[in-house]
Amino acid sequence: MTQEERTAIEEHVVEMLRTVYDPEIPVNIYDLGLIYRIELADDGSLEIDMTFTAPSCPLADFIFEDVRQKVESVEGVTSATVNLVFEPVWDQSMMSEEARLELGLD
């Protein structure tokens, strides 16, 4: 896989992550800062570390599966492993400027 191909796949993965929402929050999980790491291997396997705004998120299973299915649909991704992590602990400073504006925090 060339660097150009890797970059294109990673950009498409981010586009897909921006279509995943926690139904209780009107901002996508990428801009909320819930995605901590995206790593694409040369064989197309993808590994993502993500978290939730709260460890007891009632929709965690739904969101987690939505992430996995959407990133696995990206051309060039052969498989996806999504790891749920809670370190570092998520806080509002991890949100994008767009997310902060959408939620009225700025």
Side-chain angles (χ1 to χ4, degrees):
M1 171 182 316
T2 67
Q3 185 58 43
E4 191 173 278
E5 291 169 327
R6 177 185 304 278
T7 299
I9 293 168
E10 289 172 346
E11 286 174 356
H12 196 178
V13 165
V14 169
E15 287 174 24
M16 293 305 288
L17 290 170
R18 283 193 163 124
T19 69
V20 178
Y21 288 79
D22 177 332
E24 297 177 335
I25 305 172
V27 176
N28 68 73
I29 64 167
Y30 188 83
D31 288 330
L32 276 173
L34 301 181
I35 303 298
Y36 287 173
R37 181 177 68 94
I38 300 170
E39 189 171 317
L40 181 65
D42 287 336
D43 66 357
S45 60
L46 181 70
E47 192 163 345
I48 294 176
D49 289 350
M50 68 172 289
T51 195
F52 292 109
T53 56
S56 59
C57 176
L59 298 168
D61 291 340
F62 169 78
I63 297 167
F64 200 75
E65 185 61 19
D66 196 24
V67 167
R68 190 189 61 75
Q69 287 181 359
K70 286 184 175 178
V71 298
E72 281 187 344
S73 75
V74 172
E75 186 175 337
V77 173
T78 57
S79 66
T81 302
V82 183
N83 303 307
L84 184 59
V85 298
F86 290 104
E87 289 187 19
V89 175
W90 179 88
D91 65 51
Q92 292 181 2
S93 70
M94 297 171 172
M95 295 168 54
S96 71
E97 186 65 29
E98 292 169 344
R100 296 180 63 72
L101 290 171
E102 178 73 27
L103 295 174
L105 299 175
D106 278 344

